[in-house]
Amino acid sequence: VIIDNITGGRMAVEHLINQGHQKIAFIGGLEDISANQERLKGYKNALEAHGITVNQDYIRNSNFKRESGHYIMNELLRIDPRPTAIFAANDLLALGAFQAIKEQGLRLPIDVAVVGFDDIEFASLPEIQLTTVAQPKYNMDKLALLTLVEQIKSSSFVRQRIMLEPELIVRGTT
């Protein structure tokens, strides 16, 4: 039971494009993780669909930790021209970017907009209000459990792939 990461990445970037952004960076996690690859693909698909050239200087990968988002965001703020928006492959990376933006005296979303992915519980805190792509975690868990129980009852193990749609949650960082 998985989320459609490509669609989620595309949704995030199209939201930023619809807000007028063209200089959109991607802060990703480990390059060999399929979720990261798929979210990056969604990022690129959205840019290309809107006639925006993919700027390789705006694509950075590290790991999925907040500290990495902070470090990478500081690097991106030194690029000329710097990006006006960030799509982070998860909310922890986005929170690190959020912190770096604030530390540089920049304003969210006026100077730099940020979108994360996951909708962790901290994302909706009043001090943060992170725009993010939500995964239907409860439904994912429920479907996985029901599928497992059905297979145990039937004694037949059939490999299944159930893909759920993500949802864009717009908050104060965009």
Side-chain angles (χ1 to χ4, degrees), residues 1-69:
V1 180
I2 59 173
I3 189 80
D4 186 344
N5 287 300
I6 297 172
T7 296
R10 184 184 45 74
M11 289 169 63
V13 175
E14 285 184 346
H15 171 68
L16 292 167
I17 292 168
N18 291 337
Q19 300 237 314
H21 296 282
Q22 302 236 337
K23 298 181 202 95
I24 304 168
F26 174 82
I27 298 177
L30 299 170
E31 291 182 68
D32 59 340
I33 302 293
S34 63
N36 191 70
Q37 294 168 359
E38 292 166 0
R39 292 170 191 180
L40 177 59
K41 184 174 182 176
Y43 162 87
K44 289 179 177 179
N45 288 351
L47 292 177
E48 291 165 357
H50 289 272
I52 301 170
T53 302
V54 175
N55 182 341
Q56 292 300 321
D57 291 338
Y58 287 172
I59 299 173
R60 305 289 173 99
N61 289 287
S62 181
N63 59 43
F64 288 105
K65 297 180 180 179
R66 184 190 53 79
E67 296 81 11
S68 296

Side-chain angles (χ1 to χ4, degrees), residues 92-110:
L92 291 177
L93 289 166
L95 291 174
F98 179 101
Q99 180 184 0
I101 291 164
K102 292 282 194 178
E103 288 172 357
Q104 295 295 323
L106 300 171
R107 300 162 296 166
L108 284 133
I110 297 163

